[in-house]
Amino acid sequence: MTPTTPDPQRDLPGRTMAREMAEQPAVLRRILDEGAPRIREVAREVAARNPRFVLLTARGTSDNAALYAKYLLEIRLGLPCGLTSMSTTTAYGARPDLTDVLVITVSQSGGSPDLVASTRAAREAGALTLAVTNNPDSPLAALSEYHIDVMAGEEKALPATKTYTASLLALYLFVEGLRGGDGAPAKALPDLAEQLLGRQGEVRTLAARYRFAERMVITSRGYGYPTAKEAALKLMETSYIPALSYSGADLLHGPLAMVDNVSPVIAVVTDGKGGAALQPVLDRLRGRGADLVVIGPPSQVEQASAGFVLPTEGVAEEVQPILEIIPLQLLAYEVTIARGQDPDAPRALAKVTETH
């Protein structure tokens, strides 16, 4: 019998999260090659029902993916959207009239009781229901009228990485399908994601700035705002650093007062209208002497204390969030390792959070 070669990574903390981050280019290719036809089919059938409004239901990382979908639906389709408060139905028993409303529930596992209960209540109230999950055999998928599989494969690390980018791409293709688009701007994403993952050394250097951070602020606008929220969540659940995420507009309405010359601020600058809207915020942050790190195009990184250059040239603004989050996932991983913790197993967390 040939002896098994020992894996030098087997005993290192964070090995599962590292492996799943590395799988993202392959997952994105799988969705584009194998999942896109089914997503287009679902989109055609939903479009034929002509929903008048969209409600998005999710928790945690999936909630940030749902927020991304809200931007897509409102900007690309002009379709009004809202993020649901599940307790209105699950705790208070409210039964709004959801006739001709599309309810999209985003969930990695498709098993959280409150998501299932909320979706059931929505369907009973007349909604058209769509589940976007990583588990086609889940209770949520079975309950919903339509289902989109994000095809990320089993995710074992507690911090969600590949399921997040997979959800973003699936939601993007769905919205493009609703408007009759072919999703062509997404074709370059797998190769670009692979390039970003190959720059982990740059992120490791950046992570040294935050090893002893007591708090962090992450800001963006437009399509980048869900990225800021997801990056904050990743940092909090892996490294336990209090990371506060704000829309740039909201940051100016009060929270800016807590930023000083020792406060680390990460700005996610999307190359497009969202980035342009963030400029006054960046100017104010520089004026306060903030330790400003920019994740974005070269022209923005050059004006910051430090940063990570994203390959945004020729990349449509609406798909840039699928790339923006990757260096921030790596950052959460590297900061956690630098602080002597294991990002695979954050304390007090479970992979499926059973809220009711």
Side-chain angles (χ1 to χ4, degrees), residues 7 59 103 140 161 244 299:
D7 178 5
R59 295 283 193 203
V103 172
L140 184 61
T161 55
L244 308 174
S299 60

Side-chain angles (χ1 to χ4, degrees), residues 79-130:
L79 196 59
C81 300
L83 298 174
T84 61
S85 299
M86 278 178 277
S87 63
T88 62
T89 55
T90 60
Y92 290 93
R95 291 296 182 264
D97 180 3
L98 299 181
T99 306
D100 298 328
V101 172
L102 170 63
V103 172
I104 303 174
T105 306
V106 186
S107 170
Q108 297 153 39
S109 68
S112 184
D114 60 345
L115 291 168
V116 174
S118 177
T119 301
R120 180 180 293 109
R123 192 161 185 181
E124 291 171 353
L128 169 63
T129 53
L130 165 66

Side-chain angles (χ1 to χ4, degrees), residues 284-307:
R284 291 286 296 277
L285 289 168
R286 283 189 286 262
R288 292 187 63 81
D291 177 12
L292 178 62
V293 170
V294 166
I295 310 297
S299 60
Q300 295 295 336
V301 174
E302 290 168 2
Q303 301 176 50
S305 306

